[in-house]
Amino acid sequence: MCGIVGYVGQRQASPLVLEGLKRLEYRGYDSAGLASVDDVRLSVEKAAGKIAVLEARLNGRLPRGSVAVAHTRWATHGVPSDANAHPHTDCGGTIALVHNGIIENAGPLRQALERRGHKFRSDTDTEVLAHLIEQHYSASLELAVAAALQQVEGTYGIAVLSTKEPALLVAARKGSPLLIGIGEGEHFVASDAAALLQHTRSVVYLDDGEIAVLSPDGYRVTDLHTEPVEKVISVVDWDLATVERGGYEHFMLKEIMEQPESVRTTLRGRLLEDAGGARLGGLNLSDDELLAVDRVVLTACGTSWHAALIGEYMLEELARIPVEVEYASEFRYRNPILDHRTLVVAISQSGETADTLAAVREAKQRGARALGIVNVVGSTIAREVDGGVYIHAGPEIGVASTKAFSCQVAALSLLTLRLGRLRALSVLQGRDIVRALARLPDQIAETLARAPDVERVAQAFAHVHNALYLGRGYNFPVALEGALKLKEISYIHAEGYPAAEMKHGPIALIDDNMPVVFVAPHDAVYQKILSNVQEVKARRGRVVAVVTEGDREIAELSDHIVTIPQTIDLLTPVLSVIPLQLLAYYIAVQRGCDVDKPRNLAKSVTVE
Ligand code: AGP
């Protein structure tokens, strides 16, 4: 989720692209940079850290020139550093490029380019593109970019400039948003309209497979074979704040709606259908080392701890390895029994949660191997563990975690495949899981399409004071997560419980004022939870049920239902959590709560 801004026109370019970058700061990033061409001289300035660090580096001396590109980086390949920051340049220092996306075949391309004498200065996939364009360049930057992109697998939104053609910018898009801003005697390119609004509201949205060539007096769009493409000019009529949220009212809703793409990105390049397994290059553990593990401890806080519970069920059921789940805040002080055969896995969206970081340090202190399942590349936990899995969910701005949870569960299913196929999981079982994972992003989209059903349910419950969330098996942690979502953004007291535990006390709470949310997809424990629904209805409880489409028994008993597609049991949480995220969101909105910044909460709890 990097930010891109480019300019070509009559004005000095650097101040314009730098100002545009600041409009993209909300997206989250870990480094920034810009490049400009003045006559035939290429200037590049970039730095790890916030834009303020880049500005300090520039110290008021902005590079001159009427063409420039700028970038804020959300690291995916290569930790945040000056060298890994964009723009990236070619060997000859004549081409500079900024990129948003992931080049999946960057490895083989880089080796081929190195064999042809190209010298690389970073660990990024993006730099490969700069050298590839240089390799293809003869007299036209546009043709060189088109030829290079025909060799690329993966996703990109790029903006490229060259000292050899200083009056033009080339942009291209495949899978990462990019749009052109149309001005008077000047043109812009950006990953997000927020960067352009102070200059123009006339924009052209590029589509996948398109290339744009911008000059001060005009622009044209072609496909990768330079065939012209007709484009419609749109007018952005949103205010800046709305644009920053992608048109959604809140970041939380934007991030809920991003889950098909974020889970797709978590899985990208990691599913091995034939082998029925998963490719997790970042574990830094050999098969033998993984086989030597005799116990796994999953440690986390909050929503990430709920994901850990699902991981426990997956790993024990399918990898047949003993697993414990520990609140990091408890684990770090309770003198746990660990040794070199214990694998401690820390789950953290931010990678900065103090208790989880302390748990990692305690685990390593006692000789255990430590892995991280983390979203923020280069975060403290990601740097201190021995290896791990980045979930690539993109920046999560809303304090209430949503897309990170679904991506954490997806990453845990990949870890289960990796460990399971070394142990008890057959290739056929593995293939079934891989195929179900491949279908998941589309099924998430189907579930999100039912948001209006959830909004109607929310209207019936916006004024309750308490709620009970019940689930079994893989969906017991989802009940906990649904209750946490409601608590933290609507301030309604909600408890999550294993459904069978209700008769050991909480059933005393049931009356016609107590909404009970059942997470009850068609899985191995369906008949069991059906009887729990009957118990609640017998006490006049009001039942909201998340059920599998086509369900009849629980649906007929319930006051409200929201349906999800059928999938395998271990993946039901990724679908069943969505109605609960939306339910909390719509209730909070109706109660006038600050959805993105709930009272008393921080996005990352970096203190004990
Ligand atoms: C979840 O919605 C909360 N924001 C909170 O519980 C969060 O999950 C917890 O603080 C852990 O954060 P982490 O994943 O960044 O470590």
Side-chain angles (χ1 to χ4, degrees):
M1 299 287 278
C2 307
I4 289 177
V5 187
Y7 172 87
V8 59
Q10 317 294 339
R11 296 189 276 173
Q12 283 303 310
S14 294
L16 299 171
V17 297
L18 195 54
E19 182 53 38
L21 275 195
K22 292 178 182 177
R23 302 286 184 194
L24 304 182
E25 283 198 284
Y26 69 90
R27 297 161 73 108
Y29 63 95
D30 45 55
S31 51
L34 63 82
S36 70
V37 174
D38 180 19
D39 191 14
V40 292
R41 199 166 78 84
L42 176 66
S43 302
V44 178
E45 197 65 65
K46 54 188 185 172
K50 298 297 179 197
I51 293 173
V53 175
L54 174 65
E55 287 184 303
R57 186 83 53 91
L58 289 163
N59 192 23
R61 296 188 306 279
L62 291 182
R64 297 192 55 75
S66 57
V67 61
V69 292
H71 185 268
T72 51
R73 181 172 183 245
W74 168 270
T76 56
H77 289 66
V79 296
S81 66
D82 291 2
N84 288 338
H86 302 204
H88 287 284
T89 57
D90 63 334
C91 297
T94 64
I95 292 169
L97 167 136
V98 292
H99 167 234
N100 183 12
I102 294 179
I103 307 299
E104 288 177 19
N105 60 336
L109 288 174
R110 179 172 177 143
Q111 288 152 18
L113 287 160
E114 286 174 329
R115 285 196 295 274
R116 303 185 74 156
H118 289 265
K119 299 291 181 234
F120 283 78
R121 296 176 286 270
S122 81
D123 306 327
T124 65
D125 55 337
T126 301
E127 189 185 357
V128 170
L129 273 179
H131 293 281
L132 198 55
I133 292 167
E134 177 184 34
Q135 187 60 42
H136 284 286
Y137 191 93
S138 57
S140 160
L141 183 62
E142 174 191 3
L143 295 180
V145 169
L149 292 179
Q150 284 168 36
Q151 291 181 252
V152 160
E153 295 164 19
T155 58
Y156 54 79
I158 60 171
V160 195
L161 53 72
S162 168
T163 59
K164 296 177 179 172
E165 298 172 71
L168 67 83
L169 260 184
V170 178
R173 176 207 151 129
K174 181 187 173 196
S176 295
L178 213 50
L179 67 157
I180 299 168
I182 302 167
E184 293 294 320
E186 60 186 19
H187 287 82
F188 300 80
V189 62
S191 50
D192 184 310
L196 307 176
L197 285 191
Q198 64 184 96
H199 304 294
T200 180
R201 287 182 176 270
S202 296
V203 299
V204 168
Y205 293 96
L206 290 184
D207 290 307
D208 286 356
E210 294 179 348
I211 293 181
V213 181
L214 287 68
S215 65
D217 302 321
Y219 68 92
R220 56 190 169 80
V221 178
T222 71
D223 66 15
L224 283 185
H225 303 286
T226 65
E227 288 298 317
V229 175
E230 279 307 305
K231 299 299 288 181
V232 173
I233 295 176
S234 305
V235 176
V236 179
D237 55 8
W238 288 330
D239 61 35
L240 182 59
T242 306
V243 165
E244 286 177 351
R245 294 187 299 268
Y248 291 103
E249 189 181 354
H250 299 99
F251 280 110
M252 182 181 176
L253 185 57
K254 173 174 178 282
E255 287 148 14
I256 290 171
M257 294 298 176
E258 282 175 345
Q259 289 180 105
E261 190 48 37
S262 53
V263 167
R264 189 174 283 113
T265 307
T266 305
L267 299 173
R268 183 172 284 126
R270 292 170 161 169
L271 292 177
L272 303 173
E273 181 162 2
D274 289 348
R279 175 192 297 119
L280 294 175
L283 295 189
N284 300 332
L285 288 169
S286 67
D287 287 0
D288 289 343
E289 287 169 319
L290 287 171
L291 278 167
V293 169
D294 65 1
R295 187 161 69 96
V296 173
V297 173
L298 302 174
T299 186
C301 302
T303 286
S304 300
W305 185 82
H306 297 150
L309 284 175
I310 295 168
E312 174 188 26
Y313 284 38
M314 288 177 176
L315 287 164
E316 290 206 342
E317 179 189 355
L318 298 167
R320 307 306 297 157
I321 191 166
V323 179
E324 290 159 51
V325 175
E326 295 269 4
Y327 278 117
S329 54
E330 292 296 310
F331 179 81
R332 62 184 294 193
Y333 289 118
R334 72 169 190 78
N335 200 8
I337 297 172
L338 305 171
D339 63 27
H340 67 285
R341 295 169 66 89
T342 310
L343 184 63
V344 174
V345 183
I347 304 175
S348 177
Q349 186 287 130
S350 62
E352 301 297 346
T353 300
D355 285 324
T356 310
L357 175 58
V360 166
R361 289 171 176 168
E362 181 64 17
K364 294 186 73 172
Q365 170 71 29
R366 293 166 180 257
R369 298 298 293 262
L371 294 181
I373 294 180
V374 175
N375 191 30
V376 180
V377 175
S379 54
T380 306
I381 290 172
R383 282 183 283 110
E384 295 204 9
V385 292
D386 302 312
V389 182
Y390 279 126
I391 64 171
H392 297 316
E396 189 176 68
I397 312 292
V399 165
S401 188
T402 51
K403 64 178 182 175
F405 174 80
S406 47
C407 293
Q408 286 166 348
V409 175
L412 284 161
S413 68
L414 295 172
L415 184 62
T416 300
L417 281 169
R418 182 75 177 87
L419 289 175
R421 290 286 291 120
L422 288 173
R423 289 173 164 82
L425 197 64
S426 76
V427 62
L428 296 179
Q429 288 173 303
R431 284 176 184 165
D432 287 346
I433 296 170
V434 167
R435 290 182 187 120
L437 281 166
R439 285 194 300 272
L440 206 50
D442 289 344
Q443 292 183 314
I444 295 171
E446 286 174 44
T447 306
L448 289 168
R450 297 164 196 171
D453 299 342
V454 183
E455 192 165 12
R456 281 189 287 277
V457 174
Q459 283 156 8
F461 293 100
H463 303 294
V464 300
H465 299 292
N466 298 285
L468 202 53
Y469 285 69
L470 303 176
R472 279 179 179 258
Y474 282 106
N475 287 281
F476 155 49
V478 179
L480 298 177
E481 174 59 11
L484 175 61
K485 290 281 100 45
L486 189 67
K487 276 195 282 266
E488 65 177 328
I489 66 170
S490 75
Y491 316 142
I492 293 173
H493 174 249
E495 278 189 271
Y497 253 89
E501 268 301 295
M502 194 178 52
K503 55 184 172 293
H504 300 287
I507 200 165
L509 295 170
I510 305 298
D511 61 23
D512 53 8
N513 294 318
M514 171 67 83
V516 182
V517 180
F518 277 95
V519 192
H522 228 280
D523 59 10
V525 289
Y526 178 83
Q527 289 304 321
K528 297 295 181 189
I529 208 161
L530 169 59
S531 55
N532 298 138
V533 176
Q534 290 159 341
E535 287 157 11
V536 169
K537 289 305 293 179
R539 290 158 181 83
R540 304 193 318 282
R542 299 161 63 193
V543 171
V544 180
V546 177
V547 296
T548 302
E549 56 199 22
D551 180 284
R552 298 184 59 78
E553 294 173 282
I554 290 180
E556 283 169 5
L557 283 169
S558 303
D559 300 277
H560 306 270
I561 65 163
V562 183
T563 62
I564 61 174
Q566 176 71 45
T567 184
I568 59 177
D569 287 9
L570 70 127
L571 298 182
T572 52
V574 179
L575 300 178
S576 60
V577 75
I578 290 169
L580 307 188
Q581 294 169 343
L582 290 167
L583 183 63
Y585 171 78
Y586 289 126
I587 289 176
V589 168
Q590 288 185 44
R591 293 167 67 95
C593 298
D594 184 346
V595 171
D596 284 334
K597 297 186 180 70
R599 67 186 183 197
N600 312 335
L601 292 179
K603 181 58 188 171
S604 178
V605 183
T606 56
V607 295
E608 275 205 57

